[in-house]
Amino acid sequence: MQEIPINTDTSPNVILELIYRLKVKDVMTTDVVTATKETSLREIQYIMREKQITGLPIVMGKRLVGIVSMDDIIQALDKGYINEKAQDHMTRNLIVLEDDMPVSFAINYFDRFSYHRFPVLNKHKELVGMITNRDITSTLLIEINREIEELEKRTSTSSMSDEMHGEIHTYAIMKNDFENAGFASTEIKKRLKKAGVVPHIIRRVAITSYELEMNLVVHSDGGELIAEYTPDSIQITARDNGPGIPNVEEAMTAGWSTASEWIRSLGFGAGMGLPNVKSVVDDFKIESDFNGTTVVCSIKLQADEEK
Amino acid sequence: MQVKDLATLEGFVTQTMENGEASITDAYTGDLLSDVMGNAPSESVLITIQAHKNTVAVASLAGIEAIVICNKRSTPPDMLQAAKEECVAIFTFEGTQFEASCMIATLLGKVDACKG
């Protein structure tokens, strides 16, 4: 049977959204093999066999004028006119789809008509593709897979936040300890990964914790990095014992740095740390005086959109 | 492509490769690690001259799968050790970052994209 077993009215919302969001042009085959009116049915039979297709559009330039299907070829063999031209025997009364129509239209067409394929035209009435129900089912399967993956991630994220809820980890960071720089950030990243947090959120947390950790190593007299997990966010606090940032506003300016030549030669101290952090977190606070600096950042674990 | 495909490039010497099957879809060239941290895409290869342990930490946190150290710089043992532990591959290359980037762009099939 032709029917695509998806109901265009009462399917689950995810599916309905998919078949209205996807356009015919997202699904169709654009690499279309065509023939002209002058082509003989015999040649068309060879093309079908070679390309393993069951219907060939007949065109004049980009304009569609007919279709020769496998049935037409069988008829021609049966009745002995296989060497005649396509124009004499092609199907001229065609049902076509437009490339901007939603896929739901195409599904309805396959249900309603007994054709195995429909030609697709653009708004200039030019042939731009062919669509079969196999094209539709395979694209739908890919999209449905993606949707389910998202759903799974979402459910695992919510169970994860319960699992980590209330955890607090504190890492001591020593002044100029380049040897262990990155350790705390790596631990935080591993914790989130184990809990199944989505990769782009982990990346934002990693950027935040690493920049703050490097700041403690490079600029402070030593301090601590604290990771606190709540049901829907992670809070990262960097706290040090001095010497304090003389001008916080300058420190927040991209490119402004007090790092030494040696630190710069390692690829750090370019004045991008705090601006980097601020751009990836959902909430950012900084306080500094000669007793020390405290930066508190939080990142939501279930971001609605990529940041 | 995969990390192990980098080993086939002329002049690329494998220093450590625990993750040969890992997928690589992009590349980033830079020596400024804060910039790399903020901007390098994940599933990528980093082309740099920063031959020290901190580069591995940045790579691991940013999801970078491989590092190509250019300009005849040597890789210290603690860097290779860290790379093994974090499953980040390291290659050395005697040419410049530009040359390495060109070769990798070709391998990634991104050269046509550069022509715009």
Side-chain angles (χ1 to χ4, degrees):
Chain A
M1 269 307 286
Q2 295 281 17
E3 267 177 44
I4 294 169
I6 281 184
N7 185 310
T8 51
D9 299 317
T10 59
S11 292
N13 280 332
V14 177
I15 304 295
L16 288 179
E17 272 173 33
L18 260 182
I19 61 177
Y20 286 98
R21 189 186 75 214
L22 283 176
K23 302 284 183 235
V24 166
K25 63 181 160 204
D26 302 324
V27 172
M28 68 188 189
T29 306
T30 52
D31 185 17
V32 181
V33 186
T34 60
T36 67
K37 294 199 306 189
E38 306 298 320
T39 315
S40 74
L41 296 174
R42 175 74 76 193
E43 283 172 74
I44 291 175
Q45 183 205 346
Y46 289 149
I47 296 171
M48 283 180 174
R49 189 190 299 155
E50 189 194 334
K51 305 281 183 190
Q52 301 196 328
I53 49 182
T54 56
L56 207 63
I58 308 300
V59 294
M60 286 174 69
K62 287 179 177 168
R63 202 164 65 82
L64 178 72
V65 292
I67 277 197
V68 172
S69 69
M70 191 69 94
D71 281 343
D72 297 328
I73 295 293
I74 291 169
Q75 288 281 332
L77 287 168
D78 190 33
K79 305 216 166 113
Y81 55 78
I82 191 73
N83 291 318
E84 294 179 19
K85 288 176 184 169
Q87 60 186 348
D88 303 327
H89 302 284
M90 65 190 185
T91 307
R92 289 169 187 273
N93 197 3
L94 298 174
I95 296 169
V96 298
L97 287 163
E98 276 177 38
D99 61 351
D100 271 330
M101 287 175 169
V103 161
S104 59
F105 263 78
I107 293 175
N108 279 332
Y109 271 47
F110 279 110
D111 288 347
R112 206 143 37 109
F113 304 102
S114 64
Y115 296 113
H116 294 263
R117 72 200 70 75
F118 292 102
V120 181
L121 307 186
N122 64 14
K123 60 174 186 250
H124 307 297
K125 306 286 173 206
E126 293 164 347
L127 178 70
V128 288
M130 292 290 283
I131 190 168
T132 63
N133 59 14
R134 189 187 162 148
D135 294 331
I136 296 180
T137 38
S138 60
T139 309
L140 278 180
L141 281 177
I142 292 168
E143 292 296 324
I144 288 170
N145 265 332
R146 191 173 298 156
E147 293 287 340
I148 288 177
E149 205 175 348
E150 274 302 308
L151 286 173
E152 274 183 356
K153 273 182 197 157
R154 252 177 261 165
T155 33
S156 72
T157 310
S158 50
S159 59
M160 165 275 305
S161 23
D162 294 343
E163 169 203 325
M164 292 194 304
H165 179 38
E167 271 185 42
I168 300 179
H169 297 282
T170 302
Y171 307 91
I173 313 290
M174 315 270 282
K175 181 181 182 177
N176 285 336
D177 183 14
F178 278 94
E179 183 62 22
N180 293 305
F183 174 78
S185 304
T186 308
E187 289 295 303
I188 294 169
K189 181 183 174 180
K190 281 181 189 157
R191 184 68 192 90
L192 294 175
K193 203 169 176 182
K194 183 170 163 238
V197 175
V198 293
H200 73 266
I201 300 284
I202 296 184
R203 189 182 154 91
R204 286 168 52 195
V205 174
I207 291 173
T208 306
S209 61
Y210 187 70
E211 293 290 2
L212 294 177
E213 190 179 355
M214 286 311 289
N215 277 351
L216 291 173
V217 171
V218 173
H219 299 290
S220 82
D221 296 332
E224 56 191 14
L225 195 73
I226 306 157
E228 288 175 68
Y229 304 89
T230 72
D232 50 18
S233 70
I234 175 170
Q235 180 168 303
I236 301 204
T237 304
R239 184 180 294 141
D240 66 48
N241 311 315
I245 301 172
N247 186 332
V248 171
E249 205 176 308
E250 281 179 332
M252 290 306 301
T253 309
W256 192 87
S257 176
T258 56
S260 68
E261 276 308 307
W262 177 66
I263 285 160
R264 286 168 190 252
S265 76
L266 290 175
F268 299 103
M272 300 174 71
L274 289 176
N276 260 1
V277 170
K278 203 176 172 191
S279 73
V280 297
V281 298
D282 293 307
D283 193 51
F284 181 90
K285 283 192 204 79
I286 182 165
E287 276 175 20
S288 187
D289 61 30
F290 57 89
N291 289 317
T293 301
T294 304
V295 180
V296 184
C297 302
S298 69
I299 292 172
K300 289 181 193 147
L301 294 175
Q302 279 160 296
D304 299 328
E305 73 268 55
E306 299 223 356
K307 181 152 177 168
Chain B
M1 60 180 262
Q2 292 175 307
V3 169
K4 64 183 178 195
D5 296 325
L6 291 166
T8 65
L9 289 175
E10 196 181 340
F12 279 55
V13 181
T14 309
Q15 301 297 332
T16 172
M17 185 169 63
E18 303 284 324
N19 59 338
E21 307 290 319
S23 147
I24 289 191
T25 56
D26 211 340
Y28 199 82
T29 307
D31 301 324
L32 198 51
L33 293 180
S34 278
D35 170 60
V36 171
M37 185 79 217
N39 297 314
S42 52
E43 283 197 354
S44 65
V45 45
L46 171 66
I47 300 127
T48 186
I49 54 166
Q50 294 292 358
H52 53 80
K53 198 179 158 184
N54 299 105
T55 315
V56 176
V58 168
S60 158
L61 289 164
I64 293 166
E65 299 286 352
I67 303 170
V68 180
I69 300 291
C70 301
N71 266 353
K72 300 182 185 172
R73 302 217 174 192
S74 58
T75 46
D78 66 341
M79 180 188 192
L80 296 182
Q81 185 57 38
K84 278 198 180 79
E85 284 163 16
E86 295 297 328
C87 258
V88 174
I90 296 190
F91 303 90
T92 47
F93 177 68
E94 296 208 335
T96 64
Q97 296 99 301
F98 177 73
E99 288 161 341
S101 303
C102 282
M103 293 168 78
I104 290 170
T106 308
L107 196 60
L108 281 168
K110 286 186 184 274
V111 173
D112 284 340
C114 295
K115 289 176 190 161

